[in-house]
């Protein structure tokens, strides 16, 4: 089903993610699969759908949350502060 981005359906998407299920959402170039990045079963579901085991990108609320999930030095952190928020995917080594 395709739902409009209204409060009612945003809450439904959050509930779906919290149950460990997958959502599909539009980006500026394509549709993305969404899951709780801290839920290994949900990540396995996405990898199953995509037929791969590669690392996945994650969406974070804030640049300050990157430290929880990735290794980066001060030089990289400073560069990221210059470009984020913005339309970028940043690839960093995971913790």
């Amino acid at each position: 089903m395709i739902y409009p981005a209204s409060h009612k359906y945003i809450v439904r998407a959050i509930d779906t993610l919290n149950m460990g299920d997958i959502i599909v959402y539009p980006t500026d170039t394509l549709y993305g699969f969404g899951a709780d990045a801290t839920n290994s079963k949900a990540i396995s579901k996405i990898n199953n759908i995509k037929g791969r085991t590669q690392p996945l990108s994650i969406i974070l609320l804030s640049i300050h949350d990157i430290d929880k999930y990735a290794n980066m030095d001060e030089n990289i952190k400073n560069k990221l502060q210059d470009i984020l928020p913005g339309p970028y995917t940043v690839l960093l080594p995971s913790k």
Side-chain angles (χ1 to χ4, degrees), residues 63 72-83:
I63 190 170
M72 64 179 169
D73 60 29
E74 284 301 314
N75 186 39
I76 292 173
K77 186 181 277 191
N78 291 335
K79 288 180 183 181
L80 293 179
Q81 289 176 339
D82 290 340
I83 65 169

